[in-house]
Amino acid sequence: MSNKSTSHKTVNSKAKARTQSEHAAAIAELGWFGAHKYLLLRRTVQLGLLGLFALGPLLGIWLFKGNLSASLLLDTIPFADPLASLQLLLAGHIPELSLLIGATLVILFYALAGGRVFCSWVCPVNLVTDSASWLRRKLKLPRTSELPRNLRYYLLALVLLLPLLTGSLIWEWVNPVPLVYRAVLFGSLSGLWILAAIFLLDLFIAERAWCGHLCPTGALFGLVGKWSPIKIVASKASACDNCMDCFAVCPERQVLKPALKGQNPVITSPDCTQCGRCIDVCAQRVFRYQSRFTGTQTQLSTGGSTNSQSPSSSSPIRQHIAPKAENDQ
């Protein structure tokens, strides 16, 4: 009797949550915090890092000096943006040794952790683009035609070509990442129109246009982390019930289907930002962070099982995005 009562309560709680929130099944199954843990952790890292840089100008506590383009930790350990360092070299300037060491340290870190971890866990522009994506879903705006995904690599090539031709770091004049830091740390508001343009572009013109299709910094970090050992793995792909909640929130949804429906459960695409939102919103606990090698071995040991359940055509999320998701491959 108690089991039956518990079952009814679970069903009722899921039904109630479904009417109140997106990815409601995960909230009903995991609780609100469980369905947002990686989102909250990412925001803590992004804002915490910005706060560490702000301690110097605001309180005189110089843990970090500089910004994400070039900085010193405890006035000793250098870090530098690899793209800015490449531009400097191509412009004909010999960077200081500390800048080269800083760029090397950053490249090594993201080669291990995953290049586009920078995009979702560190980059402050992610706050702007995630806000635009959230508002799109709240306003139920229709999905617009997407830009070519390889466009960011052409823009990366252009960013590297311009210093070679002009001798100047032209991209750094409009790079939105240091613009955010200059605005917060030094009150420089002159470049905020670029952030407003990115927000409006993502909201009204093309979904996830900036991070997913245009940003040359993201393109470079994607190449750096292509062979990272740390990946998101669909370790329980057979449990997927095709609710499409992960597709609704994923900033690079085209990376999900091969892991869910293919022979390899590891999301190997360099496009994946490893933001963890697919883990958050999955009530079936399909996804997890794991070594790419362990993930592949797990799939082999289970005989390469994939999901054979039929899609739920009644899901409003699926009705909204599934046709496009099929074309994202």
Side-chain angles (χ1 to χ4, degrees), residues 131-147:
S131 297
S133 178
W134 175 84
L135 188 55
R136 282 188 66 93
R137 297 197 301 272
K138 287 298 180 182
L139 296 177
K140 298 181 180 179
L141 297 178
R143 291 194 66 190
T144 52
S145 298
E146 292 187 348
L147 301 171

PDB file of all heavy atoms in Angstrom, residues 131-147:
ATOM      1  N   SER A 131      22.047  33.932 -21.380  1.00  0.00           N
ATOM      2  CA  SER A 131      20.860  34.736 -21.068  1.00  0.00           C
ATOM      3  C   SER A 131      19.968  34.881 -22.294  1.00  0.00           C
ATOM      4  O   SER A 131      18.736  34.773 -22.204  1.00  0.00           O
ATOM      5  CB  SER A 131      21.277  36.121 -20.563  1.00  0.00           C
ATOM      6  OG  SER A 131      21.999  36.027 -19.357  1.00  0.00           O
ATOM      7  N   ALA A 132      20.584  35.098 -23.453  1.00  0.00           N
ATOM      8  CA  ALA A 132      19.807  35.207 -24.689  1.00  0.00           C
ATOM      9  C   ALA A 132      19.116  33.884 -25.007  1.00  0.00           C
ATOM     10  O   ALA A 132      17.949  33.863 -25.430  1.00  0.00           O
ATOM     11  CB  ALA A 132      20.716  35.627 -25.834  1.00  0.00           C
ATOM     12  N   SER A 133      19.823  32.759 -24.803  1.00  0.00           N
ATOM     13  CA  SER A 133      19.228  31.451 -25.066  1.00  0.00           C
ATOM     14  C   SER A 133      18.064  31.174 -24.123  1.00  0.00           C
ATOM     15  O   SER A 133      17.018  30.651 -24.536  1.00  0.00           O
ATOM     16  CB  SER A 133      20.299  30.364 -24.912  1.00  0.00           C
ATOM     17  OG  SER A 133      19.768  29.077 -25.120  1.00  0.00           O
ATOM     18  N   TRP A 134      18.240  31.511 -22.835  1.00  0.00           N
ATOM     19  CA  TRP A 134      17.166  31.321 -21.855  1.00  0.00           C
ATOM     20  C   TRP A 134      15.945  32.151 -22.232  1.00  0.00           C
ATOM     21  O   TRP A 134      14.811  31.664 -22.165  1.00  0.00           O
ATOM     22  CB  TRP A 134      17.674  31.719 -20.478  1.00  0.00           C
ATOM     23  CG  TRP A 134      16.624  31.690 -19.405  1.00  0.00           C
ATOM     24  CD1 TRP A 134      16.214  30.605 -18.680  1.00  0.00           C
ATOM     25  CD2 TRP A 134      15.838  32.798 -18.939  1.00  0.00           C
ATOM     26  NE1 TRP A 134      15.221  30.962 -17.797  1.00  0.00           N
ATOM     27  CE2 TRP A 134      14.971  32.303 -17.929  1.00  0.00           C
ATOM     28  CE3 TRP A 134      15.786  34.150 -19.273  1.00  0.00           C
ATOM     29  CZ2 TRP A 134      14.062  33.135 -17.270  1.00  0.00           C
ATOM     30  CZ3 TRP A 134      14.884  34.969 -18.612  1.00  0.00           C
ATOM     31  CH2 TRP A 134      14.037  34.456 -17.623  1.00  0.00           C
ATOM     32  N   LEU A 135      16.173  33.394 -22.648  1.00  0.00           N
ATOM     33  CA  LEU A 135      15.049  34.260 -23.001  1.00  0.00           C
ATOM     34  C   LEU A 135      14.354  33.761 -24.260  1.00  0.00           C
ATOM     35  O   LEU A 135      13.119  33.848 -24.371  1.00  0.00           O
ATOM     36  CB  LEU A 135      15.551  35.694 -23.203  1.00  0.00           C
ATOM     37  CG  LEU A 135      14.473  36.773 -23.392  1.00  0.00           C
ATOM     38  CD1 LEU A 135      13.480  36.761 -22.239  1.00  0.00           C
ATOM     39  CD2 LEU A 135      15.125  38.151 -23.542  1.00  0.00           C
ATOM     40  N   ARG A 136      15.119  33.212 -25.202  1.00  0.00           N
ATOM     41  CA  ARG A 136      14.506  32.623 -26.406  1.00  0.00           C
ATOM     42  C   ARG A 136      13.518  31.527 -26.020  1.00  0.00           C
ATOM     43  O   ARG A 136      12.419  31.440 -26.573  1.00  0.00           O
ATOM     44  CB  ARG A 136      15.583  32.025 -27.320  1.00  0.00           C
ATOM     45  CG  ARG A 136      16.371  32.994 -28.158  1.00  0.00           C
ATOM     46  CD  ARG A 136      17.256  32.238 -29.134  1.00  0.00           C
ATOM     47  NE  ARG A 136      16.441  31.525 -30.095  1.00  0.00           N
ATOM     48  CZ  ARG A 136      16.083  32.020 -31.272  1.00  0.00           C
ATOM     49  NH1 ARG A 136      16.484  33.219 -31.632  1.00  0.00           N
ATOM     50  NH2 ARG A 136      15.335  31.313 -32.098  1.00  0.00           N
ATOM     51  N   ARG A 137      13.933  30.680 -25.069  1.00  0.00           N
ATOM     52  CA  ARG A 137      13.057  29.581 -24.673  1.00  0.00           C
ATOM     53  C   ARG A 137      11.836  30.098 -23.920  1.00  0.00           C
ATOM     54  O   ARG A 137      10.726  29.595 -24.108  1.00  0.00           O
ATOM     55  CB  ARG A 137      13.822  28.569 -23.811  1.00  0.00           C
ATOM     56  CG  ARG A 137      14.964  27.889 -24.526  1.00  0.00           C
ATOM     57  CD  ARG A 137      15.426  26.636 -23.802  1.00  0.00           C
ATOM     58  NE  ARG A 137      15.865  26.895 -22.447  1.00  0.00           N
ATOM     59  CZ  ARG A 137      17.102  27.241 -22.112  1.00  0.00           C
ATOM     60  NH1 ARG A 137      18.023  27.408 -23.051  1.00  0.00           N
ATOM     61  NH2 ARG A 137      17.429  27.427 -20.849  1.00  0.00           N
ATOM     62  N   LYS A 138      12.036  31.102 -23.071  1.00  0.00           N
ATOM     63  CA  LYS A 138      10.921  31.656 -22.319  1.00  0.00           C
ATOM     64  C   LYS A 138       9.907  32.332 -23.236  1.00  0.00           C
ATOM     65  O   LYS A 138       8.688  32.235 -23.026  1.00  0.00           O
ATOM     66  CB  LYS A 138      11.430  32.666 -21.280  1.00  0.00           C
ATOM     67  CG  LYS A 138      12.129  32.030 -20.090  1.00  0.00           C
ATOM     68  CD  LYS A 138      11.174  31.129 -19.307  1.00  0.00           C
ATOM     69  CE  LYS A 138      11.868  30.498 -18.109  1.00  0.00           C
ATOM     70  NZ  LYS A 138      10.954  29.583 -17.363  1.00  0.00           N
ATOM     71  N   LEU A 139      10.404  33.027 -24.256  1.00  0.00           N
ATOM     72  CA  LEU A 139       9.522  33.700 -25.205  1.00  0.00           C
ATOM     73  C   LEU A 139       8.993  32.759 -26.277  1.00  0.00           C
ATOM     74  O   LEU A 139       8.164  33.153 -27.103  1.00  0.00           O
ATOM     75  CB  LEU A 139      10.265  34.863 -25.874  1.00  0.00           C
ATOM     76  CG  LEU A 139      10.699  35.995 -24.948  1.00  0.00           C
ATOM     77  CD1 LEU A 139      11.501  37.043 -25.735  1.00  0.00           C
ATOM     78  CD2 LEU A 139       9.500  36.638 -24.256  1.00  0.00           C
ATOM     79  N   LYS A 140       9.520  31.520 -26.275  1.00  0.00           N
ATOM     80  CA  LYS A 140       9.130  30.494 -27.249  1.00  0.00           C
ATOM     81  C   LYS A 140       9.313  30.989 -28.680  1.00  0.00           C
ATOM     82  O   LYS A 140       8.457  30.798 -29.543  1.00  0.00           O
ATOM     83  CB  LYS A 140       7.685  30.047 -27.009  1.00  0.00           C
ATOM     84  CG  LYS A 140       7.471  29.413 -25.643  1.00  0.00           C
ATOM     85  CD  LYS A 140       6.030  28.957 -25.432  1.00  0.00           C
ATOM     86  CE  LYS A 140       5.857  28.319 -24.054  1.00  0.00           C
ATOM     87  NZ  LYS A 140       4.470  27.890 -23.804  1.00  0.00           N
ATOM     88  N   LEU A 141      10.455  31.643 -28.899  1.00  0.00           N
ATOM     89  CA  LEU A 141      10.765  32.126 -30.237  1.00  0.00           C
ATOM     90  C   LEU A 141      11.104  30.942 -31.141  1.00  0.00           C
ATOM     91  O   LEU A 141      11.753  29.989 -30.702  1.00  0.00           O
ATOM     92  CB  LEU A 141      11.944  33.097 -30.190  1.00  0.00           C
ATOM     93  CG  LEU A 141      11.721  34.389 -29.396  1.00  0.00           C
ATOM     94  CD1 LEU A 141      12.990  35.229 -29.406  1.00  0.00           C
ATOM     95  CD2 LEU A 141      10.558  35.179 -29.961  1.00  0.00           C
ATOM     96  N   PRO A 142      10.671  30.978 -32.383  1.00  0.00           N
ATOM     97  CA  PRO A 142      10.960  29.852 -33.288  1.00  0.00           C
ATOM     98  C   PRO A 142      12.443  29.769 -33.593  1.00  0.00           C
ATOM     99  O   PRO A 142      13.153  30.782 -33.601  1.00  0.00           O
ATOM    100  CB  PRO A 142      10.151  30.205 -34.545  1.00  0.00           C
ATOM    101  CG  PRO A 142      10.017  31.695 -34.494  1.00  0.00           C
ATOM    102  CD  PRO A 142       9.903  32.047 -33.040  1.00  0.00           C
ATOM    103  N   ARG A 143      12.904  28.571 -33.833  1.00  0.00           N
ATOM    104  CA  ARG A 143      14.297  28.389 -34.207  1.00  0.00           C
ATOM    105  C   ARG A 143      14.543  28.994 -35.572  1.00  0.00           C
ATOM    106  O   ARG A 143      13.798  28.770 -36.513  1.00  0.00           O
ATOM    107  CB  ARG A 143      14.661  26.913 -34.209  1.00  0.00           C
ATOM    108  CG  ARG A 143      14.695  26.298 -32.823  1.00  0.00           C
ATOM    109  CD  ARG A 143      15.375  24.946 -32.866  1.00  0.00           C
ATOM    110  NE  ARG A 143      16.773  25.082 -33.215  1.00  0.00           N
ATOM    111  CZ  ARG A 143      17.562  24.055 -33.519  1.00  0.00           C
ATOM    112  NH1 ARG A 143      17.059  22.850 -33.534  1.00  0.00           N
ATOM    113  NH2 ARG A 143      18.816  24.243 -33.814  1.00  0.00           N
ATOM    114  N   THR A 144      15.584  29.792 -35.675  1.00  0.00           N
ATOM    115  CA  THR A 144      15.914  30.450 -36.929  1.00  0.00           C
ATOM    116  C   THR A 144      16.983  29.661 -37.673  1.00  0.00           C
ATOM    117  O   THR A 144      17.607  28.759 -37.117  1.00  0.00           O
ATOM    118  CB  THR A 144      16.431  31.870 -36.646  1.00  0.00           C
ATOM    119  OG1 THR A 144      17.489  31.792 -35.681  1.00  0.00           O
ATOM    120  CG2 THR A 144      15.316  32.746 -36.077  1.00  0.00           C
ATOM    121  N   SER A 145      17.188  30.014 -38.905  1.00  0.00           N
ATOM    122  CA  SER A 145      18.211  29.344 -39.699  1.00  0.00           C
ATOM    123  C   SER A 145      19.571  29.573 -39.060  1.00  0.00           C
ATOM    124  O   SER A 145      19.908  30.702 -38.673  1.00  0.00           O
ATOM    125  CB  SER A 145      18.209  29.882 -41.129  1.00  0.00           C
ATOM    126  OG  SER A 145      16.961  29.618 -41.754  1.00  0.00           O
ATOM    127  N   GLU A 146      20.347  28.513 -38.946  1.00  0.00           N
ATOM    128  CA  GLU A 146      21.642  28.617 -38.294  1.00  0.00           C
ATOM    129  C   GLU A 146      22.723  28.961 -39.310  1.00  0.00           C
ATOM    130  O   GLU A 146      22.639  28.615 -40.485  1.00  0.00           O
ATOM    131  CB  GLU A 146      21.986  27.317 -37.583  1.00  0.00           C
ATOM    132  CG  GLU A 146      21.092  27.035 -36.383  1.00  0.00           C
ATOM    133  CD  GLU A 146      21.573  25.830 -35.588  1.00  0.00           C
ATOM    134  OE1 GLU A 146      22.456  25.107 -36.102  1.00  0.00           O
ATOM    135  OE2 GLU A 146      21.070  25.630 -34.475  1.00  0.00           O
ATOM    136  N   LEU A 147      23.737  29.644 -38.815  1.00  0.00           N
ATOM    137  CA  LEU A 147      24.902  29.952 -39.620  1.00  0.00           C
ATOM    138  C   LEU A 147      25.765  28.700 -39.762  1.00  0.00           C
ATOM    139  O   LEU A 147      25.682  27.790 -38.944  1.00  0.00           O
ATOM    140  CB  LEU A 147      25.706  31.070 -38.953  1.00  0.00           C
ATOM    141  CG  LEU A 147      24.968  32.390 -38.715  1.00  0.00           C
ATOM    142  CD1 LEU A 147      25.824  33.305 -37.847  1.00  0.00           C
ATOM    143  CD2 LEU A 147      24.623  33.059 -40.021  1.00  0.00           C
TER     144      LEU A 147
END
